[in-house]
Amino acid sequence: MSAERALVLGCGYVGLRLARALSAEGVSVTGTTRSAGRFGEIAAAGARPELMDTGDPASLAALLRPTPEVVFDTVRPLRTGADAYTVESTRAIVDALAERPPGAAVYVGSTSVYGRRGGEWTDEATPIDPVSPAGVARAGAEALYLDAWRVRGLPVRVCRVPGIYGPGRTLRQRLETGAYLRVDDESHVVSRIHVDDLVAGLIAAWRRGRAGQVYLLCDDRPVTGGEYARLTAGLLDLPLPASVARADIRHELSAGAFERRTADRRCSNRRMREELGVALRYPTVHQGVPAALAEEGAV
Ligand SMILES: NC(=O)c1ccc[n+]([C@@H]2O[C@H](COP(=O)([O-])OP(=O)(O)OC[C@H]3O[C@@H](n4cnc5c(N)ncnc54)[C@H](OP(=O)(O)O)[C@@H]3O)[C@@H](O)[C@H]2O)c1
């Protein structure tokens, strides 16, 4: 039997870990980038590197012949200004996939589509209500996918993802360089997920997910930004900077950055656990952050 084929559109931070996990399962993986300079790290993750830019639809169409069993899309809406985005990158991908539908299309979206939740529990049935420009673009991008399922039968799974952390994506560097900004002691609650659990969720969404379905991929226990920062600083034996008042920094941040810093959502992973059967390796940041810092060689 020939190997299953996966196409990872955007082999960046998540895409590389995804490619490595798929290839360890015996899946034949192609991973894309816009820059040939990144071919080495994509090949090292076990994937065949290819150039792809959503601005050049031919580069995308060529990757769909023959049609892979699954396509993972990690490409975010393109930034067109300080607080402006376009979903044209997603539209180019959705149109190409709808022309030659793979067995499944797994879209990596964002929980920013929910907007402000005042710390309330949030799940797939919660109405979306984005407020930040990035959140509005994300809502537009996932609508393109869900419409392609309804109208053109593209077997999509939309995965909404909160803050991703893992090796190379911890607070360490910002704490070490003093770039970490502590706002109101980061008292808002947010959900997170370790990149390896995210990868497990994305693969489960492909293998066990239902077409046209939305999945929230997050860990078991949302924590405040303050708890997250104290955890990281404590493990590294680093001091936390003084907290600044939200009102004092409002004018220093773009609308999008301010929104990210004040998001307050508790996300439920019930559907991920029950429908997709994902057993988290890092149920909370208290397991995941030490593991990530250890993999960085920092602790
Ligand atoms: N970080 C978080 O906490 C978080 C939270 C929720 C959702 N997400 C989303 O998760 C997804 C994956 O995140 P990540 O951290 O892995 O992102 P990343 O490291 O920036 O990787 C993104 C990949 O997409 C490719 N790409 C970007 N624009 C493209 C375009 N126009 N045409 C073709 N390829 C393009 C990049 O290509 P190059 O290799 O050429 O750069 C890169 O390979 C993103 O959509 C992100 O917004 C992230």
Side-chain angles (χ1 to χ4, degrees):
M1 207 178 76
S2 60
E4 296 171 295
R5 278 162 294 116
L7 173 60
V8 178
L9 298 175
C11 224
Y13 181 70
V14 173
L16 283 174
R17 307 271 297 194
L18 176 61
R20 196 168 294 130
L22 288 165
S23 113
E25 287 185 10
V27 177
S28 167
V29 187
T30 298
T32 76
T33 173
R34 292 163 297 179
S35 147
R38 297 204 47 246
F39 276 15
E41 55 180 326
I42 294 173
R48 185 165 59 94
E50 291 283 355
L51 287 175
M52 190 282 288
D53 193 313
T54 56
D56 172 15
S59 67
L60 183 51
L63 298 171
L64 297 170
R65 286 187 293 271
T67 314
E69 272 75 22
V70 60
V71 175
F72 295 92
D73 173 7
T74 83
V75 177
R76 72 190 77 218
L78 289 181
R79 193 178 218 132
T80 55
D83 259 325
Y85 297 83
T86 169
V87 295
E88 289 314 306
S89 48
T90 307
R91 192 187 305 281
I93 293 173
V94 170
D95 282 346
L97 297 182
E99 277 298 303
R100 294 187 68 86
V106 181
Y107 173 63
V108 183
S110 164
T111 55
S112 61
V113 295
Y114 290 114
R116 295 193 192 95
R117 295 282 303 142
E120 289 295 313
W121 279 100
T122 301
D123 67 13
E124 292 85 350
T126 304
I128 63 170
D129 185 18
V131 285
S132 67
V136 170
R138 283 291 186 182
E142 63 171 54
L144 289 172
Y145 267 104
L146 292 170
D147 283 351
W149 156 243
R150 276 189 292 269
V151 180
R152 300 157 89 179
L154 181 67
V156 309
R157 289 89 161 117
V158 168
C159 297
R160 293 182 184 149
V161 181
I164 303 166
Y165 72 95
R169 286 272 177 95
T170 62
L171 282 186
R172 178 166 75 99
Q173 205 194 9
R174 274 185 285 158
L175 284 168
E176 282 177 349
T177 58
Y180 175 66
L181 185 62
R182 186 165 152 232
V183 183
D184 286 348
D185 189 29
E186 304 294 314
S187 55
H188 54 288
V189 180
V190 290
S191 290
R192 293 183 175 74
I193 189 162
H194 186 288
V195 65
D196 289 343
D197 283 331
L198 171 58
V199 161
L202 295 172
I203 294 174
W206 163 33
R207 294 202 182 277
R208 294 190 285 280
R210 284 185 288 142
Q213 187 64 284
V214 173
Y215 296 99
L216 256 173
L217 304 183
C218 60
D219 74 10
D220 282 349
R221 189 165 74 79
V223 297
T224 65
E227 183 174 342
Y228 184 64
R230 278 189 291 280
L231 168 67
T232 312
L235 288 164
L236 295 168
D237 208 12
L238 288 171
L240 276 181
S243 182
V244 295
R246 187 185 294 208
D248 291 346
I249 54 124
R250 174 67 192 91
H251 60 283
E252 289 172 33
L253 300 176
S254 67
F258 185 74
E259 197 56 42
R260 270 196 304 282
R261 299 304 301 264
T262 53
D264 50 358
R265 294 180 284 266
R266 286 180 160 85
C267 295
S268 161
N269 61 16
R270 189 190 57 75
R271 184 176 285 176
M272 177 188 93
R273 285 184 287 103
E274 293 180 5
E275 266 188 45
L276 300 182
V278 175
L280 291 169
R281 200 164 155 200
Y282 307 105
T284 77
V285 294
H286 290 276
Q287 290 82 42
V289 170
L293 292 173
E295 197 172 326
E296 288 179 2
V299 292

